[in-house]
Amino acid sequence: DAGITQSPRHKVTETGTPVTLRCHQTENHRYMYWYRQDPGHGLRLIHYSYGVKDTDKGEVSDGYSVSRSKTEDFLLTLESATSSQTSVYFCAIIASGVRDTQYFGPGTRLTVL
Amino acid sequence: QQQVKQSPQSLIVQKGGISIINCAYENTAFDYFPWYQQFPGKGPALLIAIRPDVSEKKEGRFTISFNKSAKQFSLHIMDSQPGDSATYFCAASSNTDKLIFGTGTRLQVFP
């Protein structure tokens, strides 16, 4: 699992509430990514980071924000959760020195009621 | 929108048979093509990857075939086993550190 943990692993919340998901890595990897996985859509990139305080938008960034104040933590925030954000969220890293090869965390299953 | 199109959506194969999953892309700048395997409740894990300077790469029972002119690549699983039952994703990237994923193929291998 390349030293990646995600928390929480499961969360049920209500529409309109803020939600923050955490990705934590222990090996000082520079590149970190947030994806969502939905049936029929595969994995879609939400946001990514090239380093501390260096983030950018992915394919499906609307409704999401991220922060990276420390190398080891990449936070994904849903400011006001909607039912369309019910999904499984995966964090990934690129292992230093191994171009393009992404390693994924175990995922967070989020349900927005 | 850069896309990677994957087929079939689902695949049922008998134990010992060959599983074949296909992907097609349009962006000729793509230069890295990995396949990921995902078991239920787990994150995707890199299975095998190829770069366009070769037409085939084999690792054990898993082979990637790459056709640059047709802009297609495929995963072949020889002697498929029940333990291979999983969802498989193809992907592509173009030196941007961002992967574009296919929509996935659910493989079921029956004894």
Side-chain angles (χ1 to χ4, degrees):
Chain A
D1 62 356
I4 305 168
T5 57
Q6 293 185 233
S7 59
R9 294 294 314 279
H10 302 271
K11 185 170 182 68
V12 179
T13 191
E14 293 188 351
T15 298
T17 60
V19 176
T20 295
L21 308 182
R22 181 189 185 218
C23 177
H24 179 77
Q25 52 115 342
T26 58
E27 299 178 13
N28 265 342
H29 299 301
R30 180 181 169 192
Y31 298 90
M32 299 184 75
Y33 303 80
W34 275 109
Y35 292 88
R36 61 178 289 174
Q37 184 176 25
D38 305 288
H41 291 277
L43 291 141
R44 292 182 292 174
L45 182 64
I46 305 171
H47 281 280
Y48 57 101
S49 171
Y50 290 156
V52 173
K53 297 185 180 179
D54 189 0
T55 65
D56 207 345
K57 296 179 179 180
E59 175 189 357
V60 290
S61 60
D62 287 349
Y64 302 94
S65 62
V66 290
S67 66
R68 192 165 178 203
S69 58
K70 299 184 292 184
T71 299
E72 58 266 35
D73 288 323
F74 192 30
L75 304 180
L76 177 70
T77 297
L78 291 65
E79 300 290 347
S80 178
T82 68
S83 58
S84 65
Q85 294 176 311
T86 292
S87 187
V88 181
Y89 291 87
F90 287 100
C91 174
I93 59 94
I94 288 183
S96 300
V98 186
R99 186 206 141 192
D100 296 317
T101 302
Q102 294 190 17
Y103 297 91
F104 286 80
T108 294
R109 182 173 293 276
L110 176 67
T111 302
V112 183
L113 301 176
Chain B
Q1 176 69 38
Q2 299 174 348
Q3 286 187 333
V4 176
K5 296 183 180 179
Q6 184 171 347
S7 62
Q9 192 171 16
S10 63
L11 182 62
I12 299 174
V13 173
Q14 205 158 15
K15 179 182 176 182
I18 302 173
S19 303
I20 302 174
I21 304 170
N22 300 299
C23 283
Y25 63 96
E26 296 187 359
N27 186 349
T28 55
F30 286 150
D31 65 350
Y32 175 69
F33 303 90
W35 285 90
Y36 282 80
Q37 179 187 56
Q38 184 181 29
F39 294 106
K42 304 292 186 182
L46 180 66
L47 183 63
I48 186 173
I50 196 169
R51 297 194 186 275
D53 52 340
V54 296
S55 60
E56 185 175 281
K57 183 174 181 179
K58 184 176 181 179
E59 290 184 1
R61 295 184 295 108
F62 300 91
T63 299
I64 298 179
S65 297
F66 183 77
N67 186 329
K68 189 174 182 178
S69 61
K71 292 186 286 186
Q72 295 175 346
F73 59 109
S74 59
L75 176 69
H76 296 237
I77 306 174
M78 311 300 288
D79 187 26
S80 299
Q81 300 296 312
D84 297 329
S85 296
T87 300
Y88 293 81
F89 293 95
C90 63
S93 75
S94 60
N95 197 27
T96 61
D97 301 310
K98 291 190 289 183
L99 287 171
I100 308 297
F101 284 86
T103 51
T105 296
R106 185 185 177 200
L107 171 65
Q108 295 173 276
V109 181
F110 285 95

